[in-house]
DNA sequence: CAAACACCTGAGCAATCGTTCAACTATAAT
DNA sequence: ATTATAGTTGAACGATTGCTCAGGTGTTTG
């Protein structure tokens, strides 16, 4: 017979005390979502490279497009996303827009991630 | 007249020296891809929560499914992915499989990310 | 053995993502 | 004013993602 909603696992929790403790000490869902969003920004190679380049120097859309070998449109789309998340900011100079990182956290996250990526062959 | 392949930006690079220097000091593409992959793992709330829970304690599939309120199948699929990237490992005990983190790097990445996510209202 | 159980897996589907294309804005130069 | 240029934007597309569903392992219990 089935006491639970599912027909898969019969036991409510294998270690009830542990599980409830973990659930209680769990972070707020908004924080977890925000964290996932930050990681999501860095999960795309194009955006990651943009952030890595911008962490080194201020750059215009044109140069980023050339460096990444994709269209300016694609770069602009990604920059808009990064802008909306306050990860980059920009400065207008005539026709051109020069972008920089607006969030130093990103740089340190990338640095820490790099250490791990390097030591893993994968 | 156009010297480049594209018809978008006419100048090859606004700051040629800077750009070539950045391109030269750029990390190997494999490393960047690997890094993006790591961030991608943590970009999904379900996987992120799994990693956060497993960084606290060893847990079986059944409990994870209950804690996350999704099917065991969904958990199993995600665990397979995490297994293939050597982020989690598991221990069989009878019918049950107990999972733990296989990569401490993940824990420190999450910790660092959390500090940033918390201080940002977003 | 057969039934129950914890977990795994492949197929399929809706939703999301990253890019290109074409059209648009805004600034600069002739 | 006309033209060119740097950048932005919306639509559309192909690809990927995360889930459910149904069926399949392998282990344990009766």
């Amino acid at each position: 017979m089935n006491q639970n909603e599912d027909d898969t696992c019969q036991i409510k929790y294998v270690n009830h005390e542990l599980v409830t403790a973990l659930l209680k000490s769990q972070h707020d869902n908004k924080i977890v979502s925000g964290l996932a969003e930050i990681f999501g920004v860095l999960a795309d190679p194009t955006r990651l490279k943009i952030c890595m380049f911008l962490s080194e120097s201020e750059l215009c859309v044109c140069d980023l497009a050339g460096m990444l070998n994709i269209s300016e449109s694609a770069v602009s789309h990604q920059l808009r996303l990064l802008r909306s998340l306050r990860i980059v900011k920009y400065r207008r100079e005539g026709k051109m827009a020069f972008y920089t990182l607006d969030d130093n956290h990103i740089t340190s996250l990338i640095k820490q991630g790099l250490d791990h990526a390097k030591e893993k062959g994968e």
Side-chain angles (χ1 to χ4, degrees), chain A:
Chain A
M1 205 76 50
N2 203 350
Q3 301 183 355
N4 301 328
E5 35 186 334
D6 288 330
D7 57 342
T8 48
C9 188
Q10 305 306 315
I11 321 165
K12 184 63 188 174
Y13 286 123
V14 171
N15 187 339
H16 196 279
E17 284 184 39
L18 170 63
V19 166
T20 47
L22 285 178
L23 284 176
K24 199 169 285 183
S25 69
Q26 184 185 202
H27 286 94
D28 182 9
N29 221 319
K30 276 191 181 177
I31 291 184
V32 177
S33 301
L35 182 52
E37 194 175 47
I38 292 176
F39 285 130
V41 167
L42 303 172
D44 174 64
T46 297
R47 273 193 306 266
L48 180 55
K49 285 176 194 165
I50 289 177
C51 290
M52 291 171 89
F53 284 139
L54 292 183
S55 76
E56 303 270 351
S57 168
E58 183 187 58
L59 288 164
C60 65
V61 179
C62 180
D63 280 357
L64 281 170
M67 297 165 81
L68 298 165
N69 206 29
I70 57 174
S71 68
E72 291 181 32
S73 174
V75 174
S76 191
H77 277 298
Q78 298 295 10
L79 286 173
R80 175 165 57 158
L81 199 161
L82 296 171
R83 238 164 38 218
S84 75
L85 298 174
R86 301 236 187 77
I87 288 169
V88 304
K89 62 185 173 192
Y90 72 106
R91 165 177 76 83
R92 281 214 143 272
E93 190 172 305
K95 293 180 285 191
M96 310 179 66
F98 289 93
Y99 281 81
T100 47
L101 276 193
D102 193 16
D103 189 342
N104 340 28
H105 302 333
I106 299 296
T107 305
S108 51
L109 256 184
I110 292 175
K111 277 221 180 74
Q112 180 149 3
L114 261 178
D115 294 343
H116 311 159
K118 277 185 197 162
E119 85 178 44
K120 278 217 166 187
E122 197 114 52

